[in-house]
Amino acid sequence: MRPFSYQRATDPDMALQALSAAAAANNPLTKATAQPLAGGTTLIDLMKLDVMRPAAIVDINPLARSWSAIEPGSDGLRLGALAKMSDVAAHAEIQRNYPVIANSLKLAASAQLRNMATLGGNVMQRTRCSYFRDVSYENCNKRNPGSGCAAMDGVNRVHAVLGTSDQCIATYPGDFAQALIALDAMVEITGRSGARRLPFADLHKAPGKTPDIETTLQPGELISAFSIPGRWPRSVYLKARDRQSYEFALSSAAVALDVHDGTIRDARVALGGVATVPWRAREAEALLKGQKFDDGLAQRVADAAFAEAKGRRHNGFKIALGKRVVARALQQAVTMEI
Amino acid sequence: MTAAAPEPKANMGRPVPRYEAAAKVTGRATYASDMPLDNPAYAFLVTSAIAKGRIDSFDLDDARRVRGVIDIVTHENAPKLKESKLFSNGGYAGTTIQPLKSADITHDGQIIAVVIAESYEAAREAANRVKVSYTAVAPSASFDSPGTTTAAAKGQNAQFKEDPEVGDFAKAFDAAEVKLTASYETPTQHHNPMELFTTSCAWMGDELVIYEGSQYVYGLKNGVAEQLGIDADKVRVVNPYVGGGFGSRGSMTPRTAIIAGIAKRLNRPIKLVPTRDQGFTIATHRAETRHEIKLGAGRDGKLVALRHDGAEVSSRPDAYCVGGTKTTTRLYACPNVASLVSIVRADRNTPGFMRSPPEVPYLFALESAMDELAVKLNMDPVELRRINDTNVEPIGGKPYTSRSLMACFDEAAKAFGWSQRSPQPKSMSDGDWLVGYGCAATCYPTQMAPSAARVRLQRDGRTRVEIAGHEIGTGAYTVIAQTAAERLGVPLEKVAVFLGDSDLPPAPVAGGSNSTASTCSAVMMVCDRIRQRLFKAVMPSDSLTDKAKETVGISQAPSTQAAKSDRPLDIEKAFDALGVGIVEEYGEWKPEGAPLDSFTAMHSGHARLVGGHQMKDKIAYAFGAEFVEVRVNRFTHEIRCPRLVGAFAAGRIMNPRTARSQLMGGLIWGMSSALLEATEIDERNARYVNDNLADYLVPVSADVPGVEVILLSEQDDHINPAGVKGLGELANVGTNAAICNAIYHATGQRIRKLPVRLENIEV
Ligand SMILES: Cc1cc2nc3c(=O)[nH]c(=O)nc-3n(C[C@H](O)[C@H](O)[C@H](O)COP(=O)(O)OP(=O)(O)OC[C@H]3O[C@@H](n4cnc5c(N)ncnc54)[C@H](O)[C@@H]3O)c2cc1C
Ligand code: SF4
């Protein structure tokens, strides 16, 4: 860890000011010299590992007074960016009307981490690629642009099969983002020049030629809330992993369905653990709409979701696994009692 | 009685709570790096980013500029240290690779510099700023890498004396009615004890105190003294508590003498706290192994031929191996046996002991093969073990001192509900889950080593026991206190125990599950001497025969339980008769068959372990049987293990509570070694990839919802005075095979390579 200054922001303006003062250096957000601190469960770890080296930390936890509300309404749900993962997961109305959200949070990390971690920090968490997290490896395009990618031909069991580029195959590791992208969530962003709203699907950027740029968030901006239109009581989050708890997904599916008289009116499918960014499987959803469900359809949908997938030496299994996870999540969603 | 404190059966002590439980849960227990130091400087290690090659140069300018940096030690200015031989060649070291000696790099993560600063933070920051230029050479990472060399273990490892064999394997296998040939593989694993590999060194004049979690304070003291070229009497190692060892702290690592040398030069105490990932390369690991097993049997299931070939990876300079064929060739009756252990040299750090070093990998192979044979024979795997059970080991024809293997199988099978198993693979399921039952045998050699102890008794019954044993979480304080209390007839609360200090009377390495047997036998002997002195004081000597004079007060029974039935002793009366306030005795105990130099070796930090198959005219092992339920998800192929049941017999059980806890931890670890734990190696550069506790998977509570331990009553009067076989390493053996056997039962798929991950399942 390197020396850094620490400032506690007691209101949004103070936070934005502190962040944008340092933002001038014109780095991408991941390298910005000032970083907001929420639960710290990603940021502090990466600072200890010398992967992130901010000169200034702006503690935004005091903003929780206004930015941590959990507001279920008749036409949708609004979640403050500083709400804790554990509080949202345990919320009765979210469990009832948005099981995919509650479960994506409940099945993530550990109880201790969920008590610390915030929703805003959660969607901004960074990849678990071992080479990214170990600075003794020179070649990591995400950390060290232009240096190559150690994972490409290295140990890449947990790496992505969708949305990869020849520069980076790192998996987006989070769970909650799959629920957000599936449900067409919007992100509320606050910056020095005012507030803006963005489809959550436009927040993360695939690695392409610039894997160091992970989101469209600009240095000096903060996420203040997420809003989710509608209600999705028929929704599931299915997560396959090496151990029963406290482990990232090898493959996961967020599925939400609107079924009427046996016909699927609307369908949402998002994939976790297999892609470089939160991943919406729109081609797969298209196959479901207007159809009656059967296992054959589930299979076709799963195939469509992974049509573009590319495996490497150790992660090829994720394609077959991902398909089974999608198919099973669909079956569970169709048969769930609501 | 609760599940945590099982009701003692015959030949078991009381399940008293842990001696140090309150200190541990309240944080009062001081581990090595908690020890206060006077004005310490802090050390942080820089480790190599290549596995093979040379350091061309360091650029230290940036690092030196960090405020608070005192010194940066590299091979160019490191204190000169003497070499220490490998422990198996009469030395103390776990590796002969000496970092900071030259510019050469022989393994990933080798120590290449030590930054010393006024604070931990400054040292760590400066270490991050050290720039190194290397000339890298392509390393050989493991079995399949080009450039490795392979040779038989015999002849290069002094402790691996013989490849066991008997009869004519080739002929018998040829003629066998039923044959099995199968290959198995186990991965690299790391101990990852909670306590990091810390070291603090403080000099007072020419005397050195080392605070370091160690499983062998006498070994470390003598080893560091040898490397520094000073008298061992000038070195003291202190660690009243050790935050887990599992073998990783059994032999000396290079870091200790380096830190001691730097502390001397700077004339300041130095505290080193390495990181978790550095722990993967500055200490030892369990090497990856490969096996080929050939079994020949008659249609009746009787083994007629058994061959076990094992190969293990070691470092370039050191021929370390665990050689588990000593056990696998003796477990079952079989007239024709052959075996061969080979060592494959690669560009890796030297491996070392890890909980049940030989048995974990080697019994995985044998106990998997036994299950495969049972399938071929269409026989219940428990019955196959019964048919081949024996009271005489087949290689040397020596009798087991006691052997409760089948009793363990029967008890565990009953508790588990083995009779509910439908033998056909893929025949049991529950919703999304395919269900499989599997079992395997476990065994572990009974070992003892010379040990000393000092016991002091006061008139009011207060007792102080001193012995340089080790509390590595096993319950050493507790069982030693129980032994002294029972033997002297004083209340347990009055006994104070002092361990983990090389100024105390020597005890052996806390390894090979010998500690309880060795230290308690020594404590018993010394307590008996005290009783004898007291008895003599209250008995008119003319009332005794000469023989009785020799033995009065000494229990003739081998176990401490019998002591209770001896004549009660009125301690106060005896003290008054003696006219003293304190009675103190020091004694040195050695097991039957210990070599002549045992006691001198004990003081110079060489534990002379005897037991297992190396005893004269007999062989001593503890046994157990383990049953597991495995569930495999049809859709995700996730593998879970909701139930682990083990029954164990290990001679006298000193304390059913601490014994259960050890065995429970073992079962969990055994499951973990089958399904979770593996250190991944990047073959291109021979470096470890998942060197942290998020990626190196160990079970969480949700992975082990049901663990049941059954303790069998067993008495063995042919091993040691305490009657103890040792069970610390018994339960994590065979579990890996039981899991794979259960996976076969659940899915019909035989998996012979660990760990088993969901991508290995094809259903
Ligand atoms: C061992 C382990 C296991 C885990 N397992 C899982 C898992 O299974 N599934 C899963 O989903 N996650 C998992 N996680 C990740 C965990 O959920 C995230 O670390 C956590 O959600 C991050 O939230 P935080 O508030 O602590 O973020 P911080 O660490 O405080 O911040 C993370 C990043 O986001 C930025 N940031 C924080 N808040 C805002 C904001 N409001 N606006 C803009 N930027 C912001 C910070 O500057 C920082 O760069 C695991 C983490 C660990 C350590
Ligand atoms: S996959 Fe991405 S994060 Fe990982 S080493 Fe390659 S470039 Fe770096």
Side-chain angles (χ1 to χ4, degrees), chain A residues 127 129-133 139-144 147-152 159 167-171 207 211 214:
Chain A
T127 186
C129 171
S130 304
Y131 301 102
F132 168 73
R133 293 169 65 87
N139 40 345
C140 168
N141 288 324
K142 190 184 273 303
R143 181 162 39 75
N144 229 347
S147 63
C149 170
M152 205 71 77
H159 287 70
Q167 300 286 303
C168 179
I169 56 171
T171 305
E214 296 176 352

Side-chain angles (χ1 to χ4, degrees), chain B residues 409-488:
Chain B
F409 263 109
D410 292 338
E411 287 270 333
K414 198 163 88 205
F416 180 82
W418 182 250
S419 60
Q420 308 299 307
R421 172 184 188 256
S422 86
Q424 225 26 54
K426 265 184 122 163
S427 62
M428 294 169 68
S429 66
D430 179 9
D432 284 4
W433 299 88
L434 302 172
V435 177
Y437 290 178
C439 67
T442 171
C443 65
Y444 194 81
T446 299
Q447 303 188 96
M448 291 75 57
S451 178
R454 185 183 296 115
V455 179
R456 183 162 82 173
L457 177 68
Q458 289 177 221
R459 185 178 179 280
D460 61 6
R462 272 187 291 160
T463 305
R464 180 184 171 99
V465 184
E466 297 180 346
I467 178 166
H470 311 84
E471 178 54 73
I472 53 176
T474 46
Y477 280 110
T478 315
V479 297
I480 288 173
Q482 282 179 282
T483 302
E486 285 174 21
R487 212 65 183 179
L488 293 173

Side-chain angles (χ1 to χ4, degrees), chain A residues 1-3 48-50 128 130-131 134 136-137 150 153-155 157 238-247 250 313 317 321 324-325 328 331-332, chain B residues 49 121 124-125 128-129 432 634-638 640 676 680-685 687-689 691 693-695 697-700 702-703 757-759:
Chain A
M1 201 181 263
R2 306 190 176 216
K48 283 192 195 160
L49 294 171
D50 212 29
R128 309 299 296 192
S130 304
Y131 301 102
D134 183 345
S136 73
Y137 285 90
D153 298 310
V155 176
R157 176 174 183 260
L238 181 63
K239 180 173 178 180
R241 45 185 168 167
D242 282 322
R243 56 184 172 194
Q244 183 63 21
S245 176
Y246 195 21
E247 181 58 343
L250 287 169
R313 176 144 176 227
F317 74 95
L321 170 65
R324 291 192 308 266
V325 167
R328 185 63 186 147
Q331 287 167 351
Q332 286 181 352
Chain B
E121 290 76 14
R124 186 168 186 170
E125 185 196 349
N128 283 340
R129 292 178 188 269
D432 284 4
R634 296 174 202 278
F635 301 98
T636 63
H637 295 183
E638 287 167 303
R640 301 290 184 250
L676 300 171
E680 285 155 14
I681 303 162
D682 189 327
E683 285 160 26
R684 299 167 304 176
N685 50 33
R687 301 191 65 195
Y688 297 137
V689 178
D691 52 358
L693 280 182
D695 296 328
L697 300 178
V698 296
V700 297
D703 290 309
R757 294 272 160 81
L758 56 76
E759 62 264 37

Side-chain angles (χ1 to χ4, degrees), chain B residues 468-617:
Chain B
H470 311 84
E471 178 54 73
I472 53 176
T474 46
Y477 280 110
T478 315
V479 297
I480 288 173
Q482 282 179 282
T483 302
E486 285 174 21
R487 212 65 183 179
L488 293 173
V490 301
L492 185 61
E493 316 77 70
K494 292 203 173 182
V495 182
V497 181
F498 294 84
L499 305 176
D501 182 342
S502 65
D503 274 4
L504 302 175
V509 59
S513 295
N514 87 87
S515 280
T516 305
S518 310
T519 59
C520 290
S521 291
V523 170
M524 282 169 62
M525 186 192 83
V526 176
C527 289
D528 284 351
R529 287 191 187 161
I530 291 179
R531 280 173 65 90
Q532 192 174 23
R533 272 173 71 183
L534 299 179
F535 257 113
K536 279 186 178 161
V538 288
M539 286 211 178
S541 60
D542 51 6
S543 71
L544 294 172
T545 63
D546 282 350
K547 178 146 192 302
K549 274 182 197 157
E550 282 296 301
T551 56
V552 63
I554 297 178
S555 168
Q556 298 301 305
S559 77
T560 53
Q561 201 181 40
K564 278 193 229 134
S565 58
D566 280 359
R567 288 182 79 120
L569 168 66
D570 185 335
I571 293 178
E572 294 188 359
K573 211 168 120 198
F575 266 85
D576 293 343
L578 272 175
V580 297
I582 283 176
V583 176
E584 184 174 286
E585 283 284 345
Y586 166 87
E588 298 182 345
W589 174 84
K590 69 176 178 186
E592 179 194 326
L596 274 180
D597 74 342
S598 281
F599 286 138
T600 13
M602 170 178 86
H603 286 276
S604 60
H606 298 289
R608 298 274 185 261
L609 262 70
V610 298
H613 72 283
Q614 285 166 320
M615 300 166 95
K616 203 165 163 285
D617 305 328

